[in-house]
Amino acid sequence: MPMHVIYGGTFDPVHHGHLRLALEVSERLGNVLVSLVPCHIPPHRGQTGATAAQRLRLLELAIAGEPDLRIDDRELRRGGASYTADTLRQLRGELGINVPLAIVLGTDAFAGLDRWKEWQHIPELAHIIVVQRPGIILDPDGDPARLLVKNAAGSAGALHGCAAGRVLKLNPPWLDISATGIRDRISLGQSPRYLAPDSVLAEIQHMGLYGACPAKNF
Ligand code: ATP
């Protein structure tokens, strides 16, 4: 069975930074399917601006027609706080012990890995693909940096050869876009155009999310 790759996030809202990264990862691993996994309640941050159902709707619009991306809404269906260890354990149960499973994390997320629930089990369950985010430097004495050095995968191909445990560092072009920046622009009445797909922005406006005025075009 081909490698299974998941890319989790709040996606509040999904934007071109997320989408480009997902495609870059897919290509660099040999056109594998990448599943975007919206979280239900993110454990490490406050309330989301859009509901789970609204964030899912925006994701569906964003990936429409893209064959290498799909959505896995298991964390939304599971409800409660979304812990990556639970998601990986569930997936591992479905895939069996031999299928390579990988999770994509930006360096901002990876830097806080040692605060995640059962984080030590994560490398037993999956590979980790760490994507460099500009300006984020890992503490060289911290557990995430140590894990990266100890389990480093020399190439993307190495991830296909075993089921879990390798850490691959990738440095694809990073678009300087954040969901926070988009929400802020909208709430200030500024245009968010070109930061996310038009279909996503039109739906944000239609639903009046993040303080958007449905009567006024972005
Ligand atoms: P927020 O601004 O609300 O914190 P965000 O834009 O950082 O949101 P998240 O949904 O929190 O998006 O991020 C999910 C994952 O996507 C994280 O691993 C994060 O590192 C990554 N990510 C966020 N922005 C980008 C970007 N511009 N390019 C590539 N990956 C990104």
Side-chain angles (χ1 to χ4, degrees), residues 6 28 35 38 47 81 88 91 105 122 144 158-160 165-166 175 177 193 200 204 209 211 217:
I6 65 168
R28 287 173 194 226
S35 297
Q47 194 63 36
L88 292 176
L91 273 166
L105 297 177
I122 291 178
L159 268 53
H160 291 278
R166 311 301 298 273
L175 303 180
I177 301 173
R193 276 204 80 192
V200 169
I204 288 174
L209 293 177
N217 279 344

Side-chain angles (χ1 to χ4, degrees), residues 7-13 15 17-18 21 45 104-109 133 174-181 183:
Y7 173 26
T10 316
F11 303 117
D12 186 27
H15 53 67
H18 298 130
L21 176 67
R45 50 192 286 167
V104 179
L105 297 177
T107 34
D108 53 327
R133 188 166 193 165
W174 186 285
L175 303 180
D176 191 10
I177 301 173
S178 72
T180 305
R183 294 194 303 272

Side-chain angles (χ1 to χ4, degrees), residues 16-166:
H16 280 140
H18 298 130
L19 297 165
R20 265 318 306 170
L21 176 67
L23 264 194
E24 293 270 355
V25 168
S26 168
E27 281 176 5
R28 287 173 194 226
L29 293 174
N31 289 98
V32 298
L33 263 182
V34 173
S35 297
L36 302 174
V37 184
C39 62
H40 183 242
I41 300 175
H44 300 286
R45 50 192 286 167
Q47 194 63 36
T48 55
T51 65
Q54 289 166 335
R55 290 182 287 122
L56 179 62
R57 173 79 191 125
L58 298 177
L59 270 175
E60 285 166 351
L61 290 167
I63 65 156
E66 172 44 59
D68 289 330
L69 303 183
R70 46 165 285 201
I71 299 168
D72 181 340
D73 67 351
R74 68 181 59 234
E75 293 188 349
L76 303 185
R77 283 185 277 115
R78 199 165 67 219
S82 304
Y83 293 107
T84 300
D86 297 341
T87 301
L88 292 176
R89 198 167 285 122
Q90 202 181 22
L91 273 166
R92 184 49 80 198
E94 293 167 17
L95 297 169
I97 55 171
N98 295 322
V99 173
L101 169 62
I103 176 169
V104 179
L105 297 177
T107 34
D108 53 327
F110 183 71
L113 182 75
D114 52 345
R115 295 194 296 275
W116 292 14
K117 183 185 155 207
E118 298 182 73
W119 77 272
Q120 273 114 332
H121 291 296
I122 291 178
E124 296 164 12
L125 292 162
H127 299 300
I128 304 176
I129 299 169
V130 183
V131 183
Q132 181 61 49
R133 188 166 193 165
I136 306 276
I137 296 163
L138 292 178
D139 169 6
D141 297 324
D143 284 321
R146 285 211 198 100
L147 179 72
L148 200 155
V149 171
K150 188 161 83 63
N151 294 19
S155 68
L159 268 53
H160 291 278
C162 55
R166 311 301 298 273

